[in-house]
Amino acid sequence: METHSDTKGARLGMWLFLYTEIMLFSGMFILYAAYLHKFPTDFIEGGKELSLVFGSVNTIILLISSFSVAASITALRKNSRGLAAGLLAAAVAIGGIFLINKYFEWGQKIHHGIYPNAPALVNGPTGENMFFGLYYVITGLHGIHIIIGMVLLSVCLVMILKNRIHSGNDGILENCGLYWHLVDIIWIFIFPLFYLII
Amino acid sequence: MTESDSFFETPSPTKYKGIWSWLITMDHKRIALMYLFVILFWFFGALILGLLIRTELMSVGRTIMGAQTYNALFTLHGVIMIFLFIIPAIPAIFGNFLLPIQIGADDVFFPKLNLLSWYLYILGSLFAVSSLFFGGPPDTGWTFYVPFSVSTKTNVSATLTAAFILGMSSMLTGLNFITTIHRMRAKGMRWLQIPLFTWSLYATAWVQLLATPILSITLLLVLFERIFAIGLFDASKGGDPILYQHLFWMYSHPAVYIMILPGMGVISEIIPVFSRKSIFGYKAIVASSMAIAIAGSLVWAHHMFTSGMSDVAVFVFSLLTFIVAIPSAVKVFSWISTMYKGSILMTPPLLFSLGFIYLFSVGGLTGLVLGSAGTDIHVHDTHFVVAHFHFVMFGGTGFAFFAALHFWWPKIFGRMYDFKKAYVAATMIIVGFIFHYLPMFILGIMGLPRRYYDYMPKFETGNMLAGIGGYILIAGIALMFFNLFASFKNKRDAEADPWGGTTLEWTVPSPPPLHNFIAPPEIKDYPYDFSDVIKKFKAESTG
């Protein structure tokens, strides 16, 4: 088959895919909404136990990584390959930092006996069990998406270094960038729902 | 055009030969055929499971199997038929084969993604099989309702994973089709010049994208529940089991339209060809496809009238359910009006299509009985429901699938089958079908619940009749496939246009060449203009 160089079409396909990702997460947001409605006070208590510092730092660095991905595409279009590669590497690194933060955050919670099906949760207020259940499921799935995004950006990075992606052919980078922005924007919704609800 | 130019003889990419030229092909036609044979395999398997269930039910007490086996069989019958047959059957086989040709393109937009979808389908089906052999076959029914699906000891996890992966495959196919229709139409084909089968696939693809992710996340959550016991749907831990049902049907009701819309598209192609008359209400059919896709996404809770909902919610969902019936009826009226004063030419595909219209109408109208909250309370979870959705799914989509097989068989394989056997088979299937499912309506109204292993003696006559009908039905299907496969002995001499069709697939040779079109396709102002076909047939009959 002849190969298509229809970047507009490829982008359309990517947007459709991102749409399915939004629907995937929205299923969990529906659960969140239903249980928030059922246990408003327990959710507020649960929110107080999450560390605002961890959450804020992760939000800020994720926003920075989104900027650096966007800047990397612009840099590539202006033919500065080194800068583009550097910015992309920075985004991947920030993804890693995000996950490390998450690791410590989860670790702390688990250390305090807050994890799915933990005795403290099961015997405590039912609403808090829902809150932390959703917390682990949603941030866990989001973490998986961060990992997928890091893999995609790393592939782009290698392709830039091998000159397979260049200013005339940046469709793949743009689509992977879109994916990264999606992962970022989902976090923007997760952050207030869990950390700022007090 | 010589025989060796067809896509059977020219692999793509060209460097691979033999089995590899199929397993790593990018050609949408070869991928469609790979789907055809795998899907048929599952279809036959699930048919046998269904027949075993009905045989068990033919008499009171144990007939051929124990209760646990029975539970496993109806679960697998449902899972295989829904996820491995009905959802992919028409889009993945005929959509893949015909959609690019109907819009004058040489392939789908993402050929590699198309192949990936096939492999995901295979992977998902392997998970489904594995649940049979490891840890005990699942016994939850295809709906995986909590809390049973979380607490049962059988291997539901494998089936959940299977459904998750199959959902991904279906989503990617939908994504591919939407992009293809948007970006790859031949020059000069505007939106209202697209054939109706492609339009129906377009509407289907949107529902696939809209609804499937919700199922994915729901099944994933059940899987998490089984592994981590979070309690999201467990009432004792604060969760709400009804929420599971909402999330499940938020996908699975729209999925019903994923199943039926492509079938409606097939019928919209066949009826005008054999009426030698332009389709009645082209725009109305297009609009009703989209209306079904939209309205069908808003009716899910009518599966839950007895689960516990506010009266307002029951009222709203009941009303919305009635509204979906309107666009479906518009289509039925359009098909009938197309045949009115047409010059009807009876062929096997038309006979199946007529079967579709009749059986689908019965299924649709009995759906209204279930959609109105009052009557639903009476027949909820009885055999009435079983009969209703088999009339729609099997009498509808199944018959459309058979019609499509007979309609496009000469196009796909270049071989014509025997008409006489096809007529006999179609008649047997229709008669057997009615014998099989009609008693279930009556049994349901009498109060026989679905999924029960045993029943009171007063239900025996109906179940016995249904069983006999089932055997006639299966014999008809066996004859039909025997007849189709027997055509492989014939010479490959089918004409490019054996029926007198007007859409683009009939302008290319049978079977089509690798790049579908030898010369750039000529796009007609209107896809269902039969004046040339009628002229051609008149000239043949006088000359």
Side-chain angles (χ1 to χ4, degrees):
Chain A
M1 291 289 111
E2 62 184 278
T3 48
H4 307 284
S5 53
D6 180 359
T7 47
K8 242 179 155 175
R11 204 156 58 222
L12 172 67
M14 192 62 197
W15 273 107
L16 292 173
F17 177 71
L18 296 184
Y19 177 66
T20 67
E21 290 279 12
I22 290 173
M23 291 303 284
L24 187 86
F25 276 93
S26 62
M28 282 183 298
F29 288 138
I30 289 174
L31 281 184
Y32 183 95
Y35 290 134
L36 173 66
H37 176 72
K38 207 170 163 190
F39 310 107
T41 44
D42 286 349
F43 268 52
I44 291 168
E45 287 307 311
K48 280 180 188 158
E49 287 181 40
L50 291 178
S51 158
L52 196 57
V53 179
F54 267 126
S56 311
V57 168
N58 266 352
T59 309
I60 292 165
I61 61 170
L62 214 53
L63 282 171
I64 294 172
S65 79
S66 246
F67 166 77
S68 82
V69 168
S72 143
I73 298 171
T74 314
L76 194 74
R77 287 193 182 140
K78 294 192 167 164
N79 279 324
S80 34
R81 239 176 76 203
L83 183 61
L87 284 164
L88 216 49
V92 176
I94 290 175
I97 296 172
F98 179 93
L99 288 176
I100 292 166
N101 271 346
K102 201 89 246 162
Y103 171 78
F104 282 118
E105 203 187 350
W106 275 31
Q108 204 185 25
K109 285 274 153 308
I110 293 169
H111 187 69
H112 287 138
I114 298 177
Y115 52 89
N117 208 22
L121 280 182
V122 174
N123 303 323
T126 44
E128 277 193 42
N129 183 37
M130 286 299 102
F131 181 83
F132 284 105
L134 284 170
Y135 166 76
Y136 277 108
V137 171
I138 294 181
T139 56
L141 263 183
H142 180 260
I144 292 173
H145 280 78
I146 292 267
I147 294 172
I148 298 171
M150 284 166 67
V151 170
L152 289 178
L153 292 184
S154 309
V155 170
C156 287
L157 183 60
V158 172
M159 286 175 85
I160 289 178
L161 295 176
K162 286 189 168 172
N163 211 15
R164 296 263 301 280
I165 294 178
H166 46 78
S167 56
N169 176 29
D170 58 359
I172 299 171
L173 178 60
E174 200 179 338
N175 284 339
C176 293
L178 279 175
Y179 186 84
W180 190 255
H181 296 321
L182 175 92
V183 174
D184 187 8
I185 207 164
I186 288 173
W187 178 257
I188 304 281
F189 282 97
I190 295 173
F191 175 60
L193 288 181
F194 285 102
Y195 294 85
L196 299 183
I197 172 174
I198 14 177
Chain B
M1 175 76 191
T2 57
E3 199 175 71
S4 60
D5 292 333
S6 89
F7 75 96
F8 285 106
E9 278 75 24
T10 32
S12 160
T14 38
K15 56 184 173 217
Y16 299 111
K17 288 210 165 52
I19 185 82
W20 292 111
S21 71
W22 287 85
L23 289 179
I24 39 180
T25 185
M26 307 282 164
D27 183 1
H28 66 104
K29 299 181 286 299
R30 285 186 176 224
I31 293 175
L33 286 188
M34 294 203 292
Y35 268 118
L36 174 68
F37 288 105
V38 193
I39 287 174
L40 282 185
F41 171 79
W42 287 110
F43 177 55
F44 295 150
L47 274 182
I48 293 166
L49 294 181
L51 194 66
L52 289 175
I53 298 168
R54 288 321 307 189
T55 312
E56 166 57 38
L57 288 175
M58 274 168 88
S59 61
V60 177
R62 186 192 165 103
T63 314
I64 52 168
M65 63 180 89
Q68 187 61 27
T69 318
Y70 173 82
N71 289 350
L73 288 198
F74 79 66
T75 302
L76 284 167
H77 170 78
V79 169
I80 294 176
M81 278 295 188
I82 301 258
F83 292 111
L84 290 164
F85 173 66
I86 310 182
I87 290 179
I90 297 179
I93 300 169
F94 297 104
N96 251 326
F97 199 97
L98 293 159
L99 183 142
I101 307 184
Q102 283 202 328
I103 60 171
D106 64 346
D107 206 327
V108 290
F109 192 89
F110 301 107
K112 282 180 197 153
L113 205 60
N114 203 10
L115 186 64
L116 176 69
S117 304
W118 187 78
Y119 276 103
L120 285 175
Y121 175 88
I122 298 291
L123 185 67
S125 60
L126 289 179
F127 267 100
V129 188
S130 76
S131 70
L132 263 177
F133 300 104
F134 304 105
D139 53 355
T140 57
W142 80 279
T143 48
F144 307 114
Y145 267 20
V146 292
F148 186 64
S149 60
V150 176
S151 62
T152 177
K153 294 282 175 284
T154 56
N155 195 359
V156 180
S157 302
T159 322
L160 289 168
T161 315
F164 179 82
I165 295 170
L166 292 168
M168 221 145 54
S169 159
S170 142
M171 227 150 52
L172 291 179
T173 305
L175 186 155
N176 217 339
F177 284 176
I178 293 180
T179 317
T180 308
I181 295 170
H182 272 275
R183 301 300 301 174
M184 292 185 70
R185 275 171 291 139
K187 234 180 152 140
M189 183 178 277
R190 291 192 308 275
W191 280 94
L192 288 180
Q193 284 158 275
I194 299 175
L196 287 167
F197 179 56
T198 300
W199 258 115
S200 74
L201 289 171
Y202 183 72
T204 310
W206 274 109
V207 186
Q208 281 173 314
L209 284 185
L210 191 87
T212 317
I214 305 276
L215 178 78
S216 306
I217 188 65
T218 312
L219 298 182
L220 212 56
L221 287 172
V222 177
L223 209 58
F224 287 163
E225 285 298 310
R226 284 182 70 84
I227 301 169
F228 302 114
I230 306 164
L232 287 174
F233 301 123
D234 183 347
S236 68
K237 291 181 182 172
D240 188 350
I242 303 286
L243 253 181
Y244 169 83
Q245 296 187 15
H246 274 292
L247 284 175
F248 180 81
W249 288 114
M250 238 177 245
Y251 162 76
S252 296
H253 194 79
V256 170
Y257 300 102
I258 295 177
M259 302 173 206
I260 194 69
L261 276 169
M264 292 171 155
V266 170
I267 304 302
S268 306
E269 293 289 338
I270 293 176
I271 298 278
V273 168
F274 298 113
S275 305
R276 304 276 179 247
K277 188 162 159 273
S278 164
I279 184 95
F280 181 90
Y282 171 88
K283 281 181 192 164
I285 292 180
V286 170
S288 65
S289 287
M290 297 314 279
I292 289 175
I294 295 163
S297 304
L298 304 172
V299 300
W300 72 87
H302 67 209
H303 293 267
M304 303 163 51
F305 286 158
T306 61
S307 302
M309 266 196 298
S310 73
D311 287 346
V312 180
V314 169
F315 175 78
V316 169
F317 279 108
S318 185
L319 180 73
L320 285 166
T321 305
F322 279 96
I323 288 174
V324 191
I326 297 170
S328 312
V330 165
K331 285 178 190 275
V332 174
F333 285 128
S334 294
W335 297 323
I336 306 284
S337 310
T338 306
M339 285 189 284
Y340 179 67
K341 286 193 175 172
S343 14
I344 300 208
L345 175 70
M346 185 47 92
T347 55
L350 184 67
L351 186 57
F352 277 110
S353 305
L354 296 178
F356 171 99
I357 295 178
Y358 174 69
L359 299 173
F360 175 74
S361 301
V362 175
L365 291 172
T366 52
L368 294 178
V369 175
L370 294 166
S372 48
T375 43
D376 180 67
I377 306 281
H378 181 64
V379 289
H380 186 86
D381 258 356
T382 65
H383 263 63
F384 190 90
V385 180
V386 179
H388 155 69
F389 71 72
H390 278 95
F391 263 87
V392 185
M393 295 291 90
F394 189 176
T397 314
F399 270 69
F401 177 68
F402 298 158
L405 271 178
H406 285 86
F407 189 51
W408 283 303
W409 191 270
K411 174 56 60 192
I412 295 174
F413 295 105
R415 293 174 167 92
M416 194 52 102
Y417 46 84
D418 180 42
F419 273 30
K420 206 166 166 188
K421 285 198 202 75
Y423 285 132
V424 174
T427 313
M428 278 170 77
I429 293 172
I430 293 171
V431 171
F433 183 93
I434 292 173
F435 248 92
H436 188 50
Y437 292 109
L438 210 59
M440 293 189 206
F441 278 128
I442 299 158
L443 288 170
I445 290 175
M446 284 164 69
L448 174 62
R450 65 192 285 205
R451 292 177 173 165
Y452 275 30
Y453 171 64
D454 204 1
Y455 48 80
M456 285 183 288
K458 68 169 177 176
F459 297 123
E460 195 168 27
T461 321
N463 274 304
M464 178 54 93
L465 278 176
I468 295 168
Y471 277 94
I472 302 175
L473 174 61
I474 298 281
I477 293 173
L479 176 63
M480 178 183 80
F481 279 104
F482 168 78
N483 182 39
L484 285 174
F485 291 136
S487 74
F488 288 130
K489 283 188 301 192
N490 300 351
K491 274 227 309 264
R492 203 160 84 184
D493 56 358
E495 298 164 48
D497 184 9
W499 308 121
T502 54
T503 40
L504 282 179
E505 75 265 30
W506 305 112
T507 62
V508 301
S510 308
L514 175 59
H515 292 291
N516 297 344
F517 296 95
I518 300 162
E522 185 195 333
I523 310 297
K524 279 193 267 182
D525 287 341
Y526 180 60
Y528 298 99
D529 179 1
F530 282 89
S531 47
D532 290 342
V533 176
I534 293 170
K535 246 182 254 163
K536 194 181 118 195
F537 278 92
K538 265 190 186 150
E540 273 174 19
S541 58
T542 52

